[in-house]
Amino acid sequence: MNQNQKYTNKVEQRQGLSSQSIGLLPVLLLMLLSNFYPYRISFVVAVISCVASIIIFSNLFRDRIYLFMLLPSSVTLVLYSCVYYSNLEPALYNYSPLMTEWLLVAVLSLSSSSRRTILKHVRKSNHPVMKHARLQTALAEYFHVAQIMQNLYTLHFFILLFYIIFFENVRNIMVDRFLYHEAPFMIGMFVVLYEQVRLSIVKRRLLRETWLPVLNNNGKVIGRIAYSVSFGSGVKYCHPVVRVAVIYQSMLYLTARADDSPVSPRMLDYPFLGYVLFKRTLEQTLRELVGRLLPGQLLKPRFLIRYLFENEKVSSLVTLYAITLKTEEEFAKYIQQKNGKLWMKKQIEENLQKGIFSEYFEKEYPYLQNTVLLAEQIKQL
């Protein structure tokens, strides 16, 4: 973001960023209880907890929190019931946690194989912008957790297979119990705790994130999105931008844009510009950009034009202002950037379309040339 705009708007974390691993708790409950109670009782308790979780989240958090991990948990319990009514039921007596783990891995593997199809469908959906962003975030978290669970449980299977093959004659009861009964639950709980810690760290970072309003085609605010997400997602969201041209003796003062600017980095532009942050107004942003340089509002910026700027990377609703400095004392007092300089009209025209000026500036210059710059030239005659 432009170096002149350092304000950080502390708002709530994105609602889509929720711990998907919580949805695994009904299955983990089945694994845990199977070590102490008959598998039939454990299964009934797990089903009840899964149904209760679905009811709670569907009624209390509808369209706000997407807990997709409840789906593979539910499917795993359904498959477990199929095993219960099949010829494999005797295996549940001794290996209920291991069978639950195997069924969960099968469901997660099937889910992972359809990842591209699901994400492609969501990208092409017609959901509102902010709901679309929450949905994408929740899906990304879901597939992240699913991949971790799948990898860890697969590793556990390989370790168990290695133990059975190479340690057949030196089996240990404690090791057997751990690998067959306790490890599935402990691996699942490790992922749940890991996700809680990871998301806690991410959310603390998001609290320090800069948030931008999202505008519709009419310039109305319809939501918000993090700066880093907006310019890193590949999807163009329209954001409001304030720009202030500085004029002195019919010349424009220009300075280099920031290196990390999403538009025309390091190219020449006005010294005062920046995005209007979420819950901020144009006037507040204008004061933050130039207010400290204009005590008492002696040189009030003049509104010039508002237009829509769009290229292959960004979409912006630009509001352009201008400040005219009349004396050398004013110029020395208010302009303190050391890396900028004044550009005459002829110099600008000779260097247009040569990759020196920003895209914003080159689009605005014809208007400046025929309005404020022309007016300043007439005053000096």
Side-chain angles (χ1 to χ4, degrees):
M1 177 168 275
N2 185 274
Q3 59 185 353
N4 292 308
Q5 193 167 18
K6 298 296 184 180
Y7 173 77
T8 301
N9 189 19
K10 295 184 178 180
V11 295
E12 298 177 355
Q13 302 95 334
R14 283 175 297 163
Q15 291 174 331
L17 193 62
S18 56
S19 179
Q20 293 294 321
S21 60
I22 295 177
L24 289 169
L25 291 181
V27 173
L28 297 181
L29 183 62
L30 174 59
M31 293 179 181
L32 176 64
L33 295 179
S34 295
N35 293 321
F36 304 99
Y37 302 98
Y39 63 89
R40 295 182 180 88
I41 297 177
S42 303
F43 175 66
V44 171
V45 174
V47 170
I48 293 174
S49 67
C50 185
V51 173
S53 299
I54 293 174
I55 293 175
I56 291 173
F57 276 92
S58 61
N59 290 321
L60 298 183
F61 303 105
R62 179 180 297 176
D63 294 334
R64 291 185 292 166
I65 296 179
Y66 300 96
L67 200 58
F68 294 113
M69 193 56 75
L70 278 175
L71 178 59
S73 291
S74 302
V75 175
T76 300
L77 293 178
V78 171
L79 294 178
Y80 188 96
S81 66
C82 294
V83 174
Y84 177 79
Y85 289 105
S86 69
N87 295 329
L88 297 175
E89 182 191 357
L92 297 178
Y93 183 79
N94 291 321
Y95 304 108
S96 177
L98 197 63
M99 182 64 71
T100 306
E101 179 185 8
W102 184 85
L103 293 173
L104 179 60
V105 170
V107 174
L108 293 178
S109 300
L110 180 62
S111 173
S112 298
S113 64
S114 59
R115 175 176 181 171
R116 291 186 177 180
T117 303
I118 295 174
L119 293 178
K120 183 179 180 180
H121 175 73
V122 172
R123 283 195 295 268
K124 294 183 177 180
S125 63
N126 296 321
H127 293 300
V129 175
M130 286 299 99
K131 183 178 179 179
H132 190 274
R134 290 199 302 270
L135 186 60
Q136 282 190 310
T137 303
L139 278 172
E141 285 298 313
Y142 163 73
F143 285 116
H144 173 75
V145 174
Q147 191 63 55
I148 293 177
M149 294 292 296
Q150 183 181 340
N151 292 342
L152 290 179
Y153 278 139
T154 302
L155 178 62
H156 173 241
F157 287 145
F158 278 111
I159 294 175
L160 182 61
L161 183 62
F162 180 84
Y163 175 74
I164 294 174
I165 294 175
F166 294 98
F167 294 89
E168 183 178 1
N169 298 325
V170 288
R171 301 281 287 272
N172 183 282
I173 296 178
M174 297 296 295
V175 175
D176 282 2
R177 178 172 178 79
F178 175 78
L179 290 177
Y180 285 96
H181 297 276
E182 298 173 357
F185 171 75
M186 294 180 66
I187 292 173
M189 285 305 302
F190 167 78
V191 174
V192 172
L193 295 176
Y194 164 77
E195 281 300 299
Q196 293 297 324
V197 173
R198 185 183 70 86
L199 289 180
S200 177
I201 295 173
V202 171
K203 288 179 179 180
R204 282 200 296 267
R205 291 178 180 174
L206 286 178
L207 286 174
R208 298 190 294 269
E209 177 66 88
T210 299
W211 293 80
L212 301 176
V214 177
L215 308 180
N216 61 12
N217 295 332
N218 298 322
K220 182 181 178 181
V221 177
I222 57 175
R224 69 173 185 264
I225 192 168
Y227 180 92
S228 59
V229 175
S230 178
F231 298 109
S233 62
V235 181
K236 289 192 294 185
Y237 298 96
C238 185
H239 305 302
V241 171
V242 170
R243 296 168 51 78
V244 183
V246 177
I247 303 169
Y248 174 66
Q249 294 184 355
S250 301
M251 294 182 289
L252 285 170
Y253 183 79
L254 303 178
T255 185
R257 292 175 65 90
D259 293 342
D260 60 349
S261 174
V263 179
S264 306
R266 297 178 297 278
M267 293 186 182
L268 296 180
D269 208 337
Y270 309 134
F272 307 121
L273 49 91
Y275 286 95
V276 180
L277 302 185
F278 184 66
K279 291 187 178 180
R280 308 293 287 182
T281 65
L282 289 173
E283 292 73 19
Q284 288 173 328
T285 304
L286 189 61
R287 286 196 299 269
E288 290 169 2
L289 291 173
V290 302
R292 67 185 186 278
L293 303 177
L294 307 175
Q297 296 294 312
L298 298 177
L299 299 173
K300 187 176 181 179
R302 292 175 292 165
F303 169 78
L304 296 181
I305 190 175
R306 180 173 292 123
Y307 69 94
L308 180 64
F309 173 89
E310 189 168 7
N311 63 10
E312 66 279 2
K313 293 183 179 180
V314 303
S315 177
S316 306
L317 183 62
V318 181
T319 303
L320 178 62
Y321 295 85
I323 295 175
T324 301
L325 303 177
K326 300 178 181 180
T327 65
E328 185 175 349
E329 289 75 17
E330 284 183 339
F331 182 82
K333 180 178 180 180
Y334 297 129
I335 302 301
Q336 300 175 4
Q337 281 83 356
K338 298 180 181 180
N339 59 340
K341 73 171 188 176
L342 290 166
W343 286 73
M344 295 171 42
K345 178 180 176 182
K346 182 179 180 181
Q347 291 175 308
I348 294 175
E349 293 173 353
E350 290 176 349
N351 288 281
L352 289 173
Q353 306 299 325
K354 292 185 178 181
I356 296 177
F357 306 111
S358 74
E359 293 182 58
Y360 286 113
F361 178 81
E362 295 208 346
K363 186 170 184 178
E364 296 163 355
Y365 182 72
Y367 178 82
L368 292 174
Q369 181 183 13
N370 296 316
T371 53
V372 289
L373 292 179
L374 179 61
E376 288 300 312
Q377 288 179 335
I378 293 175
K379 288 180 181 179
Q380 294 179 6
L381 294 179

